[in-house]
């Protein structure tokens, strides 16, 4: 994993600038001119629309800027207190199986959350990671959406540390209205962004080492 660039951006990164940076980096990775990149950042408050976004799920269209991202998925929120990790990875090195790669991203989130004794779970038909809050209640704590070009992935994952959860009320997050949204701090855990970053860095090799072989073995 030593050939991956790990980048941490301080402050709030403009979304359109991040998209431009990702577009350029994908081409550089594809051409062998730059290493793979894991980019840790936060955005100012905004909504993004994936390729499956439904107009009716944008409940408050004038509240925050809306960006049409080209990634998979529906509407989601980004903002301060949410750790976004853009995963610009060469899938030819990791198994050209996109569904398996998505599962690996979910596994990575679940492994990182486990460092804080949070049991994250995946759900059939609902991409992302969920936590059970009690009988009949479960909330989403992490979202993911990727795009793949010439077998290089971009966009990535978003984990709620301490965002303003009320900001989610302007959309139907990921098209799912029957469940809520939570964060590590909302769960009563005094976890900082630095704490989460350390957990993500620690668990990444556990999930992604030999990932090409594991994806080929599962046939996912």
């Amino acid at each position: 994993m030593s050939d991956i660039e790990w980048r941490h951006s301080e402050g709030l990164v403009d979304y359109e600038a991040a998209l431009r940076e990702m577009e350029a980096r994908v081409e550089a990775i594809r051409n062998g001119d730059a290493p793979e990149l894991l980019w840790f950042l936060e955005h100012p408050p905004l909504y993004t629309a994936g390729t499956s976004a439904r107009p009716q799920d944008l409940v408050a269209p004038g509240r925050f800027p809306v960006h049409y991202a080209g990634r998979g998925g529906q509407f989601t929120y980004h903002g301060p207190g949410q750790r976004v990790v853009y995963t610009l990875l060469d899938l030819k090195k990791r198994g050209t199986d996109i569904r398996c790669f998505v599962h690996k991203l979910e596994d990575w989130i679940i492994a990182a959350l486990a460092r804080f004794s949070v049991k994250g779970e995946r759900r059939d038909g609902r991409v992302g990671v969920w936590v059970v809050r009690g009988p009949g209640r479960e909330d989403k704590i992490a979202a993911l959406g990727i795009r793949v070009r010439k077998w290089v992935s971009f966009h990535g994952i978003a984990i709620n540390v301490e965002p303003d959860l009320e900001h989610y009320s302007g959309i139907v997050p990921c098209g799912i209205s029957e469940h809520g949204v939570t964060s590590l701090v909302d769960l009563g855990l005094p976890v900082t962004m630095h704490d989460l970053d350390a957990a993500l860095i620690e668990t990444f090799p556990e999930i992604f080492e030999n990932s090409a072989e594991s994806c080929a073995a599962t046939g996912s």
Side-chain angles (χ1 to χ4, degrees), residues 1 12 19 22 25 32 69 74 82-83 89 92 106 114 126 151 158 176 179 183 187:
M1 299 296 166
L12 302 179
L19 288 183
M22 284 194 287
R25 188 59 173 255
Q74 301 186 45
Q82 181 192 74
R83 172 54 82 213
L89 299 172
K92 286 188 175 180
E106 291 173 331
R126 287 191 258 142
W151 294 114
I176 299 169
H179 299 286
S183 69
L187 293 173

Side-chain angles (χ1 to χ4, degrees), residues 179-195:
H179 299 286
V181 181
T182 191
S183 69
L184 287 164
V185 170
D186 183 54
L187 293 173
L189 301 169
V191 177
T192 67
M193 198 71 72
H194 176 78
D195 295 332

Side-chain angles (χ1 to χ4, degrees), residues 60-71:
R63 185 171 189 186
F64 296 128
V66 179
H67 299 268
Y68 292 85
R71 58 158 175 79

Side-chain angles (χ1 to χ4, degrees), residues 6-220:
W6 296 73
R7 180 190 301 175
H8 283 75
S9 292
E10 299 297 327
L12 302 179
V13 177
D14 177 78
Y15 188 76
E16 293 295 337
L19 288 183
R20 291 192 295 271
E21 170 69 16
M22 284 194 287
E23 293 275 354
R25 188 59 173 255
V26 165
E27 290 304 312
I29 293 170
R30 179 67 182 86
N31 295 332
D33 297 327
E36 298 172 295
L37 172 66
L38 294 174
W39 187 7
F40 291 64
L41 58 106
E42 295 173 77
H43 287 303
L46 58 93
Y47 298 130
T48 69
T51 54
S52 301
R54 300 176 299 184
Q56 64 268 30
D57 288 343
L58 182 59
V59 179
R63 185 171 189 186
F64 296 128
V66 179
H67 299 268
Y68 292 85
R71 58 158 175 79
Q74 301 186 45
F75 279 103
T76 193
Y77 167 76
H78 292 314
Q82 181 192 74
R83 172 54 82 213
V84 173
V85 186
Y86 288 133
T87 56
L88 287 82
L89 299 172
D90 185 350
L91 299 190
K92 286 188 175 180
K93 296 180 179 179
R94 306 176 187 285
T96 52
D97 185 324
I98 295 173
R99 188 172 73 168
C100 181
F101 178 63
V102 168
H103 282 182
K104 289 285 183 183
L105 292 175
E106 291 173 331
D107 288 342
W108 184 28
I109 295 166
I110 290 168
L113 293 176
R115 294 296 194 270
F116 310 106
S117 299
V118 174
K119 185 180 180 182
E121 302 178 5
R122 64 164 54 93
R123 291 289 182 262
D124 291 340
R126 287 191 258 142
V127 176
V129 175
W130 302 78
V131 292
V132 175
R133 303 295 301 275
R137 179 186 173 188
E138 57 187 31
D139 291 343
K140 192 170 191 174
I141 194 168
L144 66 92
I146 64 164
R147 188 174 178 183
V148 176
R149 180 181 298 155
K150 298 179 181 178
W151 294 114
V152 178
S153 68
F154 56 123
H155 297 280
I157 67 173
I159 304 173
N160 289 339
V161 178
E162 193 179 7
D164 186 337
L165 295 178
E166 197 279 328
H167 288 179
Y168 281 91
S169 65
I171 56 172
V172 178
C174 300
I176 299 169
S177 58
E178 61 269 28
H179 299 286
V181 181
T182 191
S183 69
L184 287 164
V185 170
D186 183 54
L187 293 173
L189 301 169
V191 177
T192 67
M193 198 71 72
H194 176 78
D195 295 332
L196 177 61
D197 289 351
L200 287 166
I201 292 167
E202 179 182 336
T203 54
F204 185 85
E206 299 174 12
I207 304 302
F208 284 94
E209 282 185 353
N210 302 318
S211 60
E213 290 84 350
S214 63
C215 282
T218 61
S220 296

